[in-house]
Every structure is written in C-alpha cells, then in structure tokens.
Amino acid sequence: MSTYDVISAYQSSLTDTDLSTPVAIFKALTDFVQHSTAPTMSEFMQTLEKAAQSIRQDSQSLSNKPKNQHKAAIAILAGVDLFMRFVTRNSHDFSLSEEAGSFEDFKNNLLSRASLILEKASTARDRAAEIGAQFVHDNAVVLVQGYSRVITSVLCFAANVQNKRFKVYVTEARPNGDGIQAVSALRKHGIPCRAVLDSAVGYIMDKVDMVFVGAEGVVENGGIVNKIGTFQIALVANALSKPVYAVAESYKFVRVYPLNQYDIPSETPEIVTFTSRRKSLSGNSATEDDLALSNPSVDYTPPQYITLLLTDLGVLTPSGVSDELIKLYV
C-alpha cells in the first residue's frame, strides 16, 4: 500500500496562487497514482477511493478557516469527480483496447494521459480569457465581483492584447475583501478601475454596461456557484437588463443539480439562529472573523440570471452545460 501523503501534496499545490482547486486535486491524485504500490486493479481502486475521500474530508477542515479562498466544497467536488471519472473511463477504454496488457501498463497509460490533461488544464484559463475578452467592447463600463483570476485574465487580454479601452467597477467582496486585491492587479496592467461597496451594487448598476463573474463551480443546469454576493449582483443586473457573463474553465463543470441556495454542496452556516435577547445584550460584538464563520462563503446563481457562459470550450448558453457534461461522463 502506498504511503504517499495525498493531503500534504494537495495542500502544497494550493500554495500556488495560479492553480485552481480542481487542478490541484487532479495533480495530487496523479502523484498518488505514480507512487501507488497496489499490485492489482481492485486494490488500486480501493486505495484511490480512500485518497479521494480523504481530500473530500479535508475540505471540511478548510471550511472552518475564515477568509480561506478554497473553502467552497463544490470546487473540491469538481476536482475529485473529474479525476475519478478520468480513471474510470481510462480503465474501461484500456480493458477494451487491443494493446491491453498488465496492470503496470494500465498505470503507465493512465499517467501519460493525466499529464496531457494537466498540460491542457494549464492553458484553460488563457483560452477562456481570450473568448471572454470578445465580449468587452470599447468604452464599456464593466462590473466584476471581487477578485477572480480568470476575470482578471479576461480584462487584461481585452486591454493589453486587443487594445480596448474600458473602465471597471470591482465589488469589495466581503468578508475577505479581495476586491481590493483585484483593483491593485488591474491597475498594474493600466486598467482604470475602482472598488465599490457590496451594498452599492444597486446604486452603480445604471452606469454599468455588463457584469463579469467567475465561478467556483458550474452546475448541471447551467447555474453557477461562486463567492457570496454573486446572486444578488445577478438579480440587480437582470432587473436593469444588464448582461451577466460567467467565465469559467471546463474543469469546474460538476454533476450537481441544486434546487435552491441551501442545496449546494458547500459548508453553509446556519445564519438564522438567534440567541435570546438577554444573551444578545450581554454578549460581545461580532468580529469580522465571526461574521466570516457564521455566514456562507458562496451562493448559487440560477441559470436564468446568466446571459452566457464563456469557457475554454467556447461560448455556451446555460442550457448547453448539460450537453458538455454528458460528453465528459459518457
């Protein structure tokens, strides 16, 4: 049995700020396969499932850390499902292949294909950015939700490669306030921008031409799970007939079909529990970290509020996501 510490490898990968959670998981599980000493397919699949389960469980401990950018369980679910689907499909294909040989041959074939997928994943953000930038037009005013690596790439491509001129509003994105980080990153690339309060979205929406949001996960019905506040931005934009573009890499597609906000696979604190009046008066004021722990970190935006999904696979309507998932799973 392998003694490879998949959790340490996964957490080490997360220190790379350019690496998305699903890719970090895929990389860690690929390394697990490389270090596996399981002699048979049956034992290999058992140890791999245990490794995958340990990553799922690790997400619960991450969710107890305020302001953790990887606390959304749906990103972890997407990464684990992506790899397990990849192994299952390859084991099936290899067993039917005329070149099917020993179990060691299967592992080598698996590792070879995994390397190709990781290489493709490393360029997925750039491909999505190139496609997304087509929807930014000259003299536009763009609203974005906090800091998103793929949205930053979209705007930088539009400004510095396509030479478009536009302005950007960035929500502060509490409780972690990473909107300030986004403003700093955009200004370094010469893009005029400024931060606005989350509560000022309705106030400035009339001045906005389009909204760009990222996604922790793209669910089966074409909706998205993203940092908290995305849903209310989409609601305001929809009320004022402003287009909302969700930009996401295809490795964030996940087979989940949420029915409402409380049905998403994420750590959702119970925020409607109140103490008695007497305890409330005698208690200490809530700190920012208390608010981060007692409130959800992500929300679900239904597909009817998303104009288009801009991905490395191309431009998709929300209804087209299920078709792409079928291609991935069949």
Side-chain angles (χ1 to χ4, degrees):
M1 182 177 293
S2 173
T3 58
Y4 180 73
D5 189 347
V6 70
I7 295 298
S8 295
Y10 161 57
Q11 292 178 345
S12 176
S13 294
L14 288 181
T15 60
D16 182 351
T17 56
D18 287 330
L19 203 64
S20 294
T21 301
V23 179
I25 291 172
F26 198 99
K27 184 176 184 297
L29 289 174
T30 297
D31 290 343
F32 176 85
V33 171
Q34 188 171 11
H35 288 83
S36 174
T37 56
T40 65
M41 175 68 79
S42 176
E43 186 175 343
F44 169 73
M45 292 303 294
Q46 288 177 4
T47 56
L48 181 60
E49 179 54 45
K50 287 181 181 178
Q53 184 60 30
S54 67
I55 292 178
R56 293 188 190 103
Q57 293 172 348
D58 185 66
S59 69
Q60 298 175 0
S61 64
L62 286 175
S63 67
N64 292 325
K65 299 178 182 179
K67 303 185 181 183
N68 192 295
Q69 63 174 333
H70 297 285
K71 68 195 296 186
I74 194 162
I76 292 167
L77 179 61
V80 171
D81 281 359
L82 177 68
F83 191 84
M84 297 306 291
R85 179 176 70 244
F86 162 73
V87 172
T88 301
R89 285 186 62 178
N90 276 274
S91 62
H92 176 72
D93 293 346
F94 188 78
S95 64
L96 297 177
S97 171
E98 295 179 357
E99 301 175 358
S102 66
F103 173 63
E104 198 61 33
D105 291 333
F106 163 73
K107 275 183 60 178
N108 292 334
N109 179 68
L110 190 69
L111 290 170
S112 176
R113 292 190 177 188
S115 297
L116 292 175
I117 289 180
L118 285 170
E119 184 178 345
K120 185 177 179 180
S122 68
T123 62
R125 185 177 301 149
D126 291 337
R127 293 198 303 273
E130 186 173 351
I131 290 171
Q134 299 172 19
F135 291 82
V136 181
H137 56 76
D138 264 324
N139 300 315
V141 177
V142 181
L143 173 66
V144 303
Q145 161 70 332
Y147 179 73
S148 164
R149 290 166 292 196
V150 69
I151 298 299
T152 300
S153 297
V154 167
L155 298 176
C156 289
F157 190 92
N160 300 327
V161 178
Q162 298 179 335
N163 297 316
K164 295 177 180 177
R165 294 168 296 177
F166 54 90
K167 299 175 183 177
V168 182
Y169 284 120
V170 184
T171 61
E172 59 177 341
R174 284 184 178 270
N176 59 11
D178 61 15
I180 305 302
Q181 179 185 353
V183 169
S184 176
L186 292 173
R187 284 178 176 170
K188 284 181 181 178
H189 287 88
I191 300 173
C193 61
R194 66 178 303 168
V196 298
L197 296 172
D198 293 330
S199 51
V201 166
Y203 181 84
I204 57 97
M205 189 62 76
D206 266 332
K207 294 181 176 292
V208 169
D209 295 306
M210 63 196 68
V211 177
F212 278 85
V213 297
E216 291 283 355
V218 180
V219 298
E220 197 166 355
N221 63 0
I224 63 169
V225 176
N226 195 40
K227 66 183 64 179
I228 193 72
T230 303
F231 180 39
Q232 63 193 28
I233 290 175
L235 281 172
V236 175
N238 183 261
L240 297 178
S241 301
K242 309 292 184 177
V244 177
Y245 301 117
V247 189
E249 303 90 330
S250 57
Y251 51 70
K252 292 182 178 179
F253 289 10
V254 61
R255 290 190 74 178
V256 173
Y257 202 113
L259 301 177
N260 52 46
Q261 295 296 330
Y262 316 106
D263 199 32
I264 57 178
S266 177
E267 188 71 18
T268 305
E270 181 56 71
I271 61 172
V272 293
T273 300
F274 296 91
T275 59
S276 68
R277 181 174 181 273
R278 183 171 298 175
K279 288 182 179 179
S280 298
L281 290 172
S282 61
N284 295 325
S285 300
T287 65
E288 191 172 331
D289 283 351
D290 290 335
L291 287 173
L293 285 171
S294 62
N295 280 265
S297 59
V298 295
D299 59 25
Y300 163 60
T301 303
Q304 61 265 34
Y305 300 107
I306 305 296
T307 306
L308 289 171
L309 287 155
L310 313 178
T311 78
D312 52 299
L313 300 178
V315 180
L316 303 176
T317 60
S319 60
V321 171
S322 58
D323 294 335
E324 293 299 329
L325 277 168
I326 289 171
K327 294 177 185 177
L328 290 172
Y329 278 85
V330 174

